[in-house]
Amino acid sequence: MTSVNLWPGKGASLRDFAACRSLQVSRCRHCSKIRAVAAPEKQEVRTSLRRNENIGKLQAGYLFPEIAKRRRAHQEKFPDAHVISLGIGDTTEPITGFVADAMKQAADGLGTRQGYSGYGSEQGNPKLREAICNRFYASLGRQPQEIFVSDGSKCDIGRMQMMFGSGAKVAVQDPSYPAYVDSSVMIGQTGGYSETGYDGIEYMVCRPENDFFPDLSQVRPADLIFFCSPNNPTGAAATREQLQQLVDFASANGSVVIYDAAYSLYISDANCPKSIFEIPGAETCCVETCSFSKYAGFTGVRLGWTVVPEQLRYADGQQVIKDWNRVTNTIFNGASNIAQAGGLACLEPQGMKEMQQTIDFYKENAGILYSTFEELGFKVHGGKNAPYIWIAIPGKPSWDTFADILERTHIVTTPGSGFGPAGEGFVRASAFGHRDDIMEAVRRFKEAYGKSS
């Protein structure tokens, strides 16, 4: 046999060309017959590098991209539907004028010789570090050098996991922000997955029966305790007494609390602290991470900070802050100069005033949603000190409830089980949304789940 070129003639379709590309054509020297045989399959090229087995333990995709995928599929099924998202906690309102103008001025300055700046300090603009300290921590004994400006709390959580290492034992609120658990799995702090979660993680159950605060007498000691207040997803804010219990528990067991205060400015209850450093003893067992994302609409701008007290030490007496500084210098080049200019503006009196107005707007949304679900007869939690509503819908898996709500109302929520085993039987609704979308969502919920429906 000898190979020949068999190619579609003039007027052939794309399908004809595609078919010929997948065939190998041969002619017999003796009988002149032509035959076509399938071309050999293209061999998969592989490297010799083995996959990180810890990442292989992760279950499905990260929660919010999975929700986005299901939303896209729903939109394809109903192309004319106006899908409203009460799912991922992404801000929707414009950055306020005073803050936006400060970032615009900083951006314009980069186009001039006098205003240009390159690399800044990895730990953050000294003026911003001082402003954060003066605004939130000066009365709590913290110092500007203990504050590290970053591109957001989520990124800092990942960097902290790398710093503390795979040998650390971890405890998390259940339910809680998925990044705590997923980063623990990736770094190698856990075993495999079962119906009750990952082996090696201590799940601190937080449900209505215990006022969304774990029974610490039943919690096994851990090296790291992830704790968020107000909690995402339940919206529950821990009281001063509860946080004192947490600090005392950590101190007694030699644990470090990674305290996520990303929603603290939403707290209006005077008995619920806005910072863990309001609690005596926290400086020797806690770090705190926070962000401008949900205060100033910086979810896309990316700016946050982490506080590491100089008094916090490892078992060998070494200061944790020295390791955190080393990690920051090594794998982070500092937050955007433009973003930091915005952060400085946020902390000025006019910026704080505008930022609080934005927070109040989202809290009004939360109140509207809370009242709606309560009127519809659901057991509702959160929504008062946080921008999240935690709705109990027992009797079927929360992913099924998510699908039912999406199908009947074209509204995206978040299934509770995505936040941990104790989230089963709940869905989360986010208050981040335009007011007209919130009111339309209310109308749809009442139409789909009202008594007359």
Side-chain angles (χ1 to χ4, degrees):
M1 288 284 187
T2 58
S3 296
V4 299
N5 184 21
L6 183 62
W7 202 245
K10 187 177 181 181
S13 68
L14 288 174
R15 181 176 296 177
D16 295 329
F17 279 96
C20 280
R21 289 178 66 183
S22 65
L23 296 176
Q24 187 178 60
V25 183
S26 300
R27 182 197 303 273
C28 180
R29 294 178 180 175
H30 304 290
C31 63
S32 298
K33 289 183 179 180
I34 295 176
R35 64 171 182 159
V37 295
E41 290 186 12
K42 187 176 180 180
Q43 292 296 309
E44 186 180 61
V45 178
R46 301 185 182 185
T47 69
S48 60
L49 179 65
R50 295 185 64 181
R51 184 189 184 197
N52 182 338
E53 62 181 14
N54 294 311
I55 293 179
K57 298 174 188 175
L58 292 170
Q59 298 300 297
Y62 187 65
L63 175 61
F64 298 110
E66 177 65 24
I67 289 172
K69 183 177 75 172
R70 297 189 187 208
R71 173 181 175 165
R72 287 193 297 271
H74 181 81
Q75 193 74 75
E76 290 174 3
K77 183 179 178 181
F78 301 97
D80 297 326
H82 169 47
V83 177
I84 296 174
S85 178
L86 303 180
I88 186 172
D90 191 6
T91 51
T92 58
E93 302 311 293
I95 294 172
T96 60
F98 184 76
V99 176
D101 286 345
M103 290 193 286
K104 181 178 184 299
Q105 185 176 351
D108 289 342
L110 293 175
T112 68
R113 179 171 292 180
Q114 296 77 15
Y116 177 77
S117 58
Y119 290 130
S121 168
E122 290 88 352
Q123 296 80 10
N125 182 330
K127 291 182 179 179
L128 180 55
R129 298 174 79 186
E130 185 173 1
I132 291 170
C133 185
N134 290 340
R135 178 62 69 179
F136 300 120
Y137 300 105
S139 64
L140 305 179
R142 307 278 51 85
Q143 302 297 321
Q145 66 268 22
E146 299 175 323
I147 295 167
F148 294 75
V149 178
S150 72
D151 50 349
S153 292
K154 185 177 183 179
C155 303
D156 276 350
I157 287 166
R159 288 187 276 262
M160 272 189 271
Q161 289 280 36
M162 187 188 75
M163 178 180 73
F164 289 124
S166 60
K169 295 180 180 178
V170 173
V172 300
Q173 287 164 293
D174 180 20
S176 65
Y177 184 44
Y180 309 148
V181 169
D182 285 11
S183 61
S184 298
V185 176
M186 289 179 174
I187 205 70
Q189 295 167 342
T190 76
Y193 182 81
S194 66
E195 291 182 1
T196 57
Y198 288 96
D199 296 336
I201 289 183
E202 181 71 6
Y203 289 89
M204 304 186 299
V205 175
C206 300
R207 291 179 62 88
E209 304 88 78
N210 61 7
D211 199 23
F212 296 104
F213 188 81
D215 180 356
L216 295 175
S217 68
Q218 301 299 312
V219 174
R220 289 173 294 185
D223 300 310
L224 303 176
I225 301 173
F226 283 96
F227 197 93
C228 179
S229 180
N231 176 264
N232 175 17
T234 67
T239 66
R240 193 170 303 276
E241 294 75 19
Q242 289 171 335
L243 290 181
Q244 187 66 66
Q245 291 178 39
L246 177 66
V247 168
D248 291 346
F249 177 81
S251 296
N253 291 287
S255 306
V256 172
V257 176
I258 300 175
Y259 189 82
D260 188 342
Y263 302 95
S264 63
L265 290 189
Y266 284 81
I267 293 175
S268 53
D269 189 331
N271 193 39
C272 296
K274 291 183 171 68
S275 170
I276 193 63
F277 297 116
E278 294 182 39
I279 306 302
E283 69 278 0
T284 61
C285 65
C286 297
V287 300
E288 180 169 295
T289 183
C290 200
S291 169
F292 287 96
S293 288
K294 308 304 168 65
Y295 304 159
F298 275 26
T299 51
V301 174
R302 307 307 307 149
L303 189 68
W305 68 89
T306 289
V307 185
V308 184
E310 292 181 340
Q311 297 95 323
L312 183 63
R313 296 179 180 272
Y314 291 107
D316 64 0
Q318 294 293 316
Q319 289 179 299
V320 174
I321 193 172
K322 290 184 177 179
D323 281 1
W324 184 242
N325 189 62
R326 183 68 169 87
V327 168
T328 300
N329 287 336
T330 302
I331 63 173
F332 185 54
N333 272 334
S336 157
N337 297 333
I338 298 170
Q340 292 190 79
L344 274 167
C346 286
L347 300 177
E348 293 186 28
Q350 181 61 28
M352 287 294 295
K353 178 182 176 181
E354 292 181 0
M355 198 160 60
Q356 189 60 53
Q357 289 171 346
T358 300
I359 291 168
D360 290 343
F361 174 84
Y362 290 129
K363 288 188 71 173
E364 289 172 4
N365 283 352
I368 292 168
L369 291 171
Y370 185 101
S371 298
T372 298
F373 286 110
E374 195 172 47
E375 288 171 14
L376 292 172
F378 294 101
K379 292 286 186 181
V380 192
H381 309 277
K384 294 178 179 164
N385 293 304
Y388 297 121
I389 316 300
W390 190 239
I391 308 123
I393 307 181
K396 63 179 178 180
S398 57
W399 273 109
D400 290 352
T401 301
F402 163 89
D404 180 71
I405 292 172
L406 184 59
E407 189 76 16
R408 293 172 65 177
T409 67
H410 304 305
I411 295 173
V412 176
T413 56
T414 306
S417 62
F419 298 99
E424 190 60 272
F426 295 85
V427 293
R428 190 195 75 176
S430 166
F432 295 113
H434 302 307
R435 184 58 54 81
D436 53 351
D437 279 343
I438 295 295
M439 298 312 296
E440 173 61 15
V442 166
R443 186 194 67 78
R444 294 183 194 178
F445 281 130
K446 288 183 175 180
E447 184 179 89
Y449 296 101
K451 292 180 181 179
S452 61
S453 61

